[in-house]
Amino acid sequence: MKKHKNIMIQGTGSSVGKTLIVAGLCRIFAQDGYRVSPFKSQNMALNSFVDIEGLELSRGTVIQAEAGYEIPRAFMNPILLKPNSDNNSQVIINGKVAYTADAKTYFSNSKELKKIALETYKNNIENNFDIAVLEGGGSPAEVNLREYDLVNMGMAELVDSPVILVGNIDIGGVFAAIYGTVMLLNEKDRKRIKGYIINKFRGDSDLLKPAIKILDKKFKDESLDITFLGVLPYVDLKIEEEDSLSDEDKKVYSDDKKYINISIIKTKKMSNFTDFHAFKQYDDVRVRYIYDVKDLEDEDIIIFPGSKNTITDLEDLKKRGIFEKVKELKEKGKIIIGICGGLQMLGKKIYDPKHLESDILETEGFNFFDYKTTFDETKKTEQVIKKIDVTEGILKDFNGYEIKGYEIHQGVTNILTPIICKDNVFATYIHGIFDNSKFTNNFLNIIRRKKNMPEQKEILSFNEFKEKEYDKLAKLLRENLDIKEIYKILG
């Protein structure tokens, strides 16, 4: 029997909660004394992270690695797709940009991509970890793509992994989704599924027992050994999830004066909205994502986040009236922040002479700063530790603060400091800047003082905050899932 064990979490569709279940299992296995790694062979996301070697991987895989007490590494997510448009994506292989391709071209390379995924797994995961918890993508029941698949049953087959299927009851139709997914698969793939989980349930789970009994009988009638593993309740854990922005948009935000209100400008190709997850640890902060210009004006802070297509997103902001509105609000003293693509937008001009992002050669920025940005083929990806060098504006008292984060950008901007600040506006290329708790809390205290709100002393570091949430997640899974049966499935 092989020493290395694996298990794969697949879903009946997107947003069923696979990412957090993988993270929770990684924490449980690590708590139980095993060295565990997450693995997602292929991911499509605009939220990415840079590891210690300067290589890119998805943010979802990062939280899973952290939950398993491991340093996030690009080999945990060997293929990352970052959409440029509806028709093509930047393909990142083992942390580095390889090429840009449309779907048809990408699928034509499936044999080579499977080889890359398997070799990465064998060399880095199987040889170094006791357990791997793999995450699928979307649904395995997209049978039209089975021959190209390298993230669901295709990957499970490559590494001979048993599968647990997850369904989201919150959107309805969970029993049909689970049964339909299983029965659409070919016989070999179907038999690989060893258990199922019902996720995001609100209410008394005893009400589900009759349906679970029917479903189990149907599986038995089909000679399938698929075990019901439990019902996970809908819990608002403060752990980032790649698809969480859709949930964030549904939340109601208060305009009560006892809160600091932050508006993040939502663009079509917004990336790294995970930069703002750190605000969740502050009870007096409310964050909302703004798409319509009429929703601007009541906030204390406006943030322009990263973008995979800065120029086209900026042009869209002009069409929507947000460009001129933010200029007005800046003159009224509103605090404006730009991160990465947002930094580029706040300058004088952006140039794209090689059409790396769009057909637009240049565009005017907000002109809040004098710098200009030019897109280049070389992509900068690195972790950074830098000291703030600011002598004016809202951050003048933060001079000398140490900031940790990472940079991911193709734009070259003629600035010499990690953060540039003037009056009530500042900008930076550093993703994860708000993960620096001392900086963030003291910055929020500026607004608290303005609004006569009680100031906060420095609270838990963001890492300590995340650790507590990962432990809560593991506890939730232990209390509601049959962990002993999951260990049996592991073999």
Side-chain angles (χ1 to χ4, degrees):
M1 186 179 290
K2 61 183 181 179
K3 180 185 176 185
H4 173 80
K5 307 291 183 185
N6 55 23
I7 195 165
M8 188 174 203
I9 305 299
Q10 295 185 15
T12 56
S14 297
S15 303
V16 300
K18 298 186 296 291
T19 301
L20 290 191
I21 290 174
V22 170
L25 290 176
C26 284
R27 175 54 56 111
I28 286 170
F29 296 146
Q31 287 173 337
D32 291 350
Y34 298 97
R35 190 172 182 205
V36 58
S37 174
F39 186 82
K40 188 162 187 177
S41 53
Q42 170 196 285
N43 200 358
M44 178 175 281
L46 287 176
N47 293 310
S48 64
F49 176 81
V50 175
D51 77 359
I52 55 176
E53 292 187 282
L55 304 173
E56 275 189 86
L57 69 154
S58 72
R59 289 288 313 192
T61 306
V62 170
I63 70 162
Q64 294 162 351
E66 290 176 347
Y69 306 124
E70 290 292 336
I71 296 172
R73 300 297 301 275
F75 61 69
M76 298 170 178
N77 172 213
I79 301 165
L80 175 62
L81 307 176
K82 301 184 85 169
N84 290 316
S85 66
D86 293 337
N87 301 316
N88 66 69
S89 294
Q90 186 180 71
V91 181
I92 297 167
I93 295 178
N94 287 321
K96 294 184 177 181
V97 176
Y99 52 87
T100 298
D102 58 24
K104 191 173 182 179
T105 303
Y106 179 76
F107 287 132
S108 71
N109 293 331
S110 62
K111 286 185 180 179
E112 179 62 26
L113 293 168
K114 286 181 183 180
K115 183 181 176 184
I116 290 167
L118 181 59
E119 286 180 353
T120 304
Y121 185 91
K122 292 283 186 184
N123 295 336
N124 298 285
I125 305 295
E126 189 172 276
N127 291 337
N128 296 297
F129 296 91
D130 302 316
I131 297 173
V133 187
L134 291 82
E135 181 184 357
S139 166
E142 294 174 358
V143 291
N144 55 312
L145 300 176
R146 177 59 181 91
E147 67 175 296
Y148 311 111
D149 176 45
L150 60 112
V151 68
N152 287 306
M153 287 301 177
M155 190 66 215
E157 182 178 46
L158 286 174
V159 298
D160 192 23
S161 175
V163 173
I164 293 173
L165 188 64
V166 180
N168 177 6
I169 197 169
D170 193 49
I171 58 175
V174 70
F175 295 104
I178 291 170
Y179 185 73
T181 297
V182 172
M183 299 314 295
L184 272 172
L185 303 176
N186 64 48
E187 185 178 359
K188 191 176 179 182
D189 288 346
R190 198 179 298 156
K191 288 186 179 298
R192 197 172 285 284
I193 299 177
K194 299 301 180 184
Y196 69 95
I197 295 168
I198 295 171
N199 195 21
K200 302 188 180 183
F201 181 68
R202 305 170 193 254
D204 183 354
S205 61
D206 285 346
L207 296 172
L208 302 178
K209 287 181 178 178
I212 291 167
K213 189 175 180 180
I214 291 169
L215 189 56
D216 287 349
K217 183 178 184 303
K218 284 188 172 292
F219 287 147
K220 190 174 181 180
D221 291 345
E222 296 289 343
S223 300
L224 294 169
D225 182 21
I226 301 177
T227 304
F228 166 65
L229 296 171
V231 177
L232 289 172
Y234 197 110
V235 177
D236 186 21
L237 287 166
K238 295 176 181 178
I239 299 174
E240 68 182 62
E241 193 173 1
E242 285 183 321
D243 297 321
S244 65
L245 187 55
S246 57
D247 292 331
E248 293 290 332
D249 281 344
K250 295 173 187 173
K251 291 182 180 178
V252 176
Y253 296 90
S254 172
D255 59 359
D256 195 306
K257 298 300 180 185
K258 67 181 180 181
Y259 295 115
I260 296 171
N261 292 301
I262 300 175
S263 290
I264 297 166
I265 303 300
K266 185 178 178 183
T267 60
K268 292 179 179 178
K269 291 299 176 183
M270 178 174 64
S271 65
N272 286 75
F273 62 78
T274 47
D275 282 339
F276 315 114
H277 180 68
F279 290 129
K280 286 190 174 184
Q281 73 182 121
Y282 301 95
D283 293 333
D284 61 353
V285 173
R286 294 292 181 269
V287 176
R288 60 179 179 173
Y289 290 83
I290 297 292
Y291 190 80
D292 196 320
V293 66
K294 74 177 188 302
D295 294 325
L296 281 168
E297 192 136 4
D298 295 331
E299 59 284 298
D300 303 294
I301 302 168
I302 296 171
I303 303 178
F304 289 90
S307 169
K308 189 65 184 67
N309 287 80
T310 308
I311 291 180
T312 52
D313 273 349
L314 182 54
E315 291 301 297
D316 187 54
L317 294 180
K318 293 173 182 176
K319 289 177 185 175
R320 288 192 268 143
I322 289 176
F323 185 81
E324 290 301 325
K325 182 66 174 179
V326 170
K327 282 191 167 187
E328 292 175 19
L329 293 174
K330 186 253 184 187
E331 295 306 312
K332 292 180 179 179
K334 199 76 72 177
I335 295 172
I336 314 290
I337 302 170
I339 299 177
C340 198
L343 173 145
Q344 295 165 353
M345 291 181 183
L346 298 188
K348 269 190 173 180
K349 275 197 171 187
I350 307 174
Y351 302 96
D352 189 8
K354 298 177 183 177
H355 298 292
L356 297 175
E357 281 202 352
S358 71
D359 293 331
I360 303 169
L361 283 170
E362 64 178 76
T363 190
E364 298 284 338
F366 281 91
N367 202 26
F368 294 162
F369 297 104
D370 289 336
Y371 56 74
K372 300 174 183 177
T373 299
T374 302
F375 285 108
D376 187 69
E377 289 172 346
T378 303
K379 189 174 190 178
K380 184 173 184 178
T381 56
E382 65 176 8
Q383 291 190 1
V384 296
I385 301 176
K386 294 187 177 180
K387 287 189 175 181
I388 296 177
D389 181 16
V390 168
T391 56
E392 63 174 322
I394 196 169
L395 296 183
K396 66 179 184 298
D397 294 330
F398 291 74
N399 200 40
Y401 274 44
E402 187 174 86
I403 299 294
K404 295 181 181 180
Y406 55 99
E407 294 187 27
I408 310 173
H409 56 91
Q410 287 184 268
V412 178
T413 309
N414 55 329
I415 53 175
L416 301 176
T417 58
I419 297 178
I420 186 165
C421 180
K422 187 167 70 174
D423 300 326
N424 52 314
V425 184
F426 76 84
T428 182
Y429 264 128
I430 301 175
H431 291 291
I433 186 171
F434 296 116
D435 295 2
N436 295 271
S437 299
K438 179 183 176 183
F439 167 83
T440 302
N441 190 56
N442 288 345
F443 171 67
L444 293 174
N445 275 337
I446 295 173
I447 293 94
R448 292 183 182 116
R449 287 192 292 270
K450 282 184 178 180
K451 301 183 75 169
N452 294 316
M453 295 169 58
E455 290 185 41
Q456 286 192 19
K457 294 180 180 178
E458 190 174 348
I459 56 177
L460 284 176
S461 75
F462 188 52
N463 284 336
E464 291 173 318
F465 171 76
K466 288 192 291 183
E467 282 298 307
K468 289 197 169 190
E469 293 301 307
Y470 294 144
D471 284 340
K472 286 180 189 176
L473 174 61
K475 185 172 184 285
L476 180 75
L477 266 60
R478 287 189 189 273
E479 290 174 349
N480 293 280
L481 300 183
D482 189 340
I483 301 299
K484 285 184 179 179
E485 186 63 31
I486 290 173
Y487 269 113
K488 284 183 185 178
I489 292 171
L490 262 173

